[in-house]
Amino acid sequence: MKGGVSQFFSALKGKTGSLALNILGDSNAATLTESFPLLPLKELVLFPNTVTPLFITQKPGVLAVETALRQELRLFAASTKSKEDNSTSPAGTVVRIVQHLRLPDGGFRIVLQGEYRGLVVNAEEDREHVRVWVKPFKAVKSGESLDSETEALMRAVQKSFAQYAELSKKISTETISAAERSENPERLCNLVCNSLAVRVERKLALIGIEDPRDRLIAVLESLEAENEIFGIQRNISGKVKSRMERNQREYFLNEQLREINKELGKEDAVDEFEEIEKALLAKNPGEEVLEKARKEIKRIRKLQPLSPEAGVLRGYLEWLADLPWSEYSPDSIELSEAEKILDEDHFGMKKAKERILEFIAVRQLSGGSNEKAAVRGPILCFVGPPGTGKTSLGKSVARSLGRRFVRISLGGVRDEAEIRGHRKTYVGSLPGKIIQSMRKVRTMNPVFLLDEIDKLSSDFRGDPASALLEVLDPEQNSSFTDHYLELAYDLSKVLFITTANSLYGIPYPLLDRMEIIEIPGYGENEKLSIAKQFLFPKELEENGLSDAQISIRDDALLEIIRHWTMESGVRNLEREIARCIRRIARDAVKRGYRIERPVPQHEAEPLGEDAGKEGELSKGKSKPIGSFKKIISKGDLEKLLGRRKYKNDVVFKEARIGVTYGLAWTETGGAMLPVETSRFPGSGDLIITGNLGDVMKESARIALSYLRSVQDNYHFCFKDIGKNDFHIHVPEGAIPKDGPSAGITLASSLLSTLCRKAPLPGIAMTGELTLTGRILPIGGLKEKLLAAIRNGIERVLLPLENREDWEELDKDIRSALKADFVERANDAFAILFEPGILKTPRKSYTAGKPRRRSPE
């Protein structure tokens, strides 16, 4: 009970404030207030002029009733605010106990009559119940003259209440007659509110309105809302009833017709299978499909309608009728328009866009607007790090071609039946994802995106990658056979696009059938353009700030790119920009900025002075209220995003003996690969740590063997390498690492340890090292160089055979780095170390040309 009393006191204090103290402190307070025991009610609101029977079982209520029985038989009945909030509402009704009966369990059965409404102005604890002082609400006295507006509102309430009573069918005629005869606003509102079947919260709002005119308006609004709901329910019920009656009538007539035809020895004039055959003929399929469908229809006619096999055949025929067999969407063959759409949706991606435009050009030359022109759909595979826009590029391709788009995700698919379907003899069998998607898209030439093809799995249920061999072969997919259909289906006009983060997880036979288009990671300038043109406006729109004056400086975007993201794509960049916008949205709301939405047409018409304004708003668009202006600068980022996430501490600023920096490629983009080597006396062992794969361990052994073979050319600090152990470690040991391209990095780290000479700082390298000292080319050049730029590297050593790849890179990447192209390991060592490391000075070669180093 103490908890309930304290909740009541806190609610009362919040509701009345100092008003209760002022009233009680006044000398005339006794004439304004009376005190009563508080009767708390749950989910029940009592109104004056009504008689209500109740069972009282809770201890606070029992004590309040006992107190009232000893005194003047009057209580103050107040309801709790809601199911979640147990505090009592300050507004309630003074009630009189008309009858009472003590129950064996200690409770009471009482009959209460409401007298008048009032507002609690003070309360105090009296034993284990609450005693409250109540100030009556002002009410119109009986016989008092009313103004014309009040009389009009009363008539409107009486008319609406009569309509409500007719719709609800739950109100007695005595109550309806009393409401019609009532000439007092207070009595009319009490009768109507007591009869309304609305939520407790709404009744509490109606009992707490003091002004008679405002209370009449509130009651009228509640009645009109309930009448509208009743009207909608009656309309829906009528439609359902008429539909059921029509269906039953059709069923009986069809059954009678069937029996009549059976007695006459005739078959049904029209049945569902004829309808299926007509629908299939309208699709203009091949002769083989029609023959199969007619054969199955002939079989199903001989079966009982409720037999399991009939249900299977019926589902099979419906699939045949629903599939597209000759429907084609016309291609948009305007090169300029397609190029414009591709550029609007994506920044960069030059190779991918060129390939799509080539397909459109070939389509225009060979078939023009003829959808059935013999141009096979290419099988394209977009390969690149996450967040570079591969999936969304597929949607843009469909939009540029004017074709329909369908996408299925292959990540984690390990059942062959997901691709080829199940035999229709199995219970619950269905076609595979390919055929299901073709029925969904309803054309023979959609753009079909197979997402995450490198994430396919296989187990005892089959190998889905092998099932895709027929789908993704332009020479075979014109007769793709699904296990469920058992018919050849033409997929040759479909433009298949697949996406992958890496090619290593794709089986070679499947990879051989696809045309690989690399989607490399983005450089800083590309990310800046994408953020300005696409991401920032998109986040403003999604977070409701498109009408506000918000902009972001280029240096702030670059700061986010460098210190809050470390990726090849732009997915995390979009998240960080969204975080900024959300923080700003919160600040905008605090300053009073908001968006006024149009009022739905079905809502009740507003009353009063705002009627015209709301009417205009319901016809217009959303309007901003207030103004908000913000320019996001570099100095605002730590307040909006917190501390920097990436500080590029993987690279030491100063040179260190035995520490070199390689460049690695991962599925998520490029990464720095620091290599550390230490030497100590031993027996010639080579210790390799850092969670390295077999290929990388072999590269370390090759590097050590190569240096032992050329030890006469360098100033090693000891003569016998075989009496020393070497420990090579690649930090971040929790991350697996493998691949041959760290060969020159490992050799440079070993050479630095052997000669006790630190390499020049700020240089990273990549390249596979052979046992004779040649440096072989590598892949993933752009991702590796982007990783070097992100980590503050200024100079890179690259294999000579990668010079052509360097020339194809964007200008901003080439201008951010100085590249030296080397063909042999000694050329790389000559650039990486000071000249004193060599015993005999010799010429070094860079980029295939002699390169002379200064004594400095």
Side-chain angles (χ1 to χ4, degrees), residues 288-301:
E288 181 185 2
V289 178
L290 286 175
E291 184 179 349
K292 178 73 172 176
R294 288 166 178 158
K295 180 181 177 182
E296 299 298 340
I297 290 174
K298 188 175 181 181
R299 282 181 58 197
I300 199 173
R301 289 186 189 278

Side-chain angles (χ1 to χ4, degrees), residues 152-196:
L153 284 171
M154 287 184 63
R155 292 181 184 179
V157 169
Q158 290 169 336
K159 180 180 178 181
S160 185
F161 182 66
Q163 184 181 359
Y164 174 79
E166 182 182 354
L167 292 171
S168 66
K169 310 292 185 184
K170 294 181 181 179
I171 300 175
S172 64
T173 55
E174 292 82 5
T175 304
I176 300 172
S177 299
E180 289 177 350
R181 293 193 307 269
S182 178
E183 297 180 355
N184 184 276
E186 178 72 9
R187 180 176 177 81
L188 176 61
C189 289
N190 291 333
L191 287 172
V192 173
C193 292
N194 188 62
S195 303
L196 266 177

Side-chain angles (χ1 to χ4, degrees), residues 31 81 106 135 139 151 218 227 283 291 375 571 594 662 709 768 802:
T31 62
K81 294 181 179 178
K135 177 186 177 182
E151 288 185 357
N227 289 339
K283 298 288 184 72
E291 184 179 349
V375 178
R571 192 167 287 151
R594 63 187 179 90
S709 68
E768 179 182 353
N802 284 112

Side-chain angles (χ1 to χ4, degrees), residues 410 413-420 434 453 456-459 461-473 476 480-481 483 505-511 513:
L410 299 178
V413 172
R414 59 182 63 196
D415 188 354
E416 179 199 358
E418 294 282 341
I419 307 299
R420 283 191 172 274
I434 303 297
I453 197 171
L456 284 170
S457 304
S458 61
D459 61 7
R461 288 169 288 188
D463 183 7
S466 300
L468 283 173
L469 293 176
E470 183 182 5
V471 177
L472 299 181
D473 191 342
Q476 300 179 29
F480 170 70
T481 303
H483 289 159
I506 305 175
Y508 179 77
L510 184 60
L511 188 64
R513 285 163 165 77

Side-chain angles (χ1 to χ4, degrees), residues 568-624:
S568 295
V570 292
R571 192 167 287 151
N572 285 328
L573 176 59
E574 183 176 3
R575 291 193 187 104
E576 298 301 327
I577 292 175
R579 284 180 61 199
C580 282
I581 301 302
R582 288 196 300 271
R583 295 287 176 87
I584 293 172
R586 181 179 174 185
D587 188 32
V589 172
K590 286 183 178 179
R591 297 186 185 181
Y593 181 83
R594 63 187 179 90
I595 301 296
E596 191 170 1
R597 306 293 178 187
V599 177
Q601 296 293 332
H602 65 272
E603 291 188 0
E605 289 294 330
L607 298 174
E609 298 178 356
D610 294 334
K613 178 182 175 182
E614 296 291 338
E616 292 177 3
L617 183 61
S618 65
K619 298 176 183 177
K621 298 180 179 179
S622 301
K623 297 180 181 179

Side-chain angles (χ1 to χ4, degrees), residues 313-327:
L313 292 178
R314 186 181 292 105
Y316 176 76
L317 291 170
E318 289 173 353
W319 269 100
L320 289 183
D322 288 343
L323 281 173
W325 296 99
S326 59
E327 295 86 355

Side-chain angles (χ1 to χ4, degrees), residues 679-700:
R679 179 197 62 83
F680 41 86
S683 57
D685 291 339
L686 179 62
I687 304 170
I688 305 171
T689 58
N691 203 355
L692 307 185
D694 292 338
V695 176
M696 202 163 177
K697 289 178 181 178
E698 290 177 357
S699 297

Side-chain angles (χ1 to χ4, degrees), residues 699 702-703 706 740 742-744 747 767-776 825:
S699 297
I702 290 171
Y706 168 72
I744 186 61
E768 179 182 353
L769 180 68
T770 67
L771 194 59
T772 58
R774 290 182 59 215
I775 299 179
L776 302 182

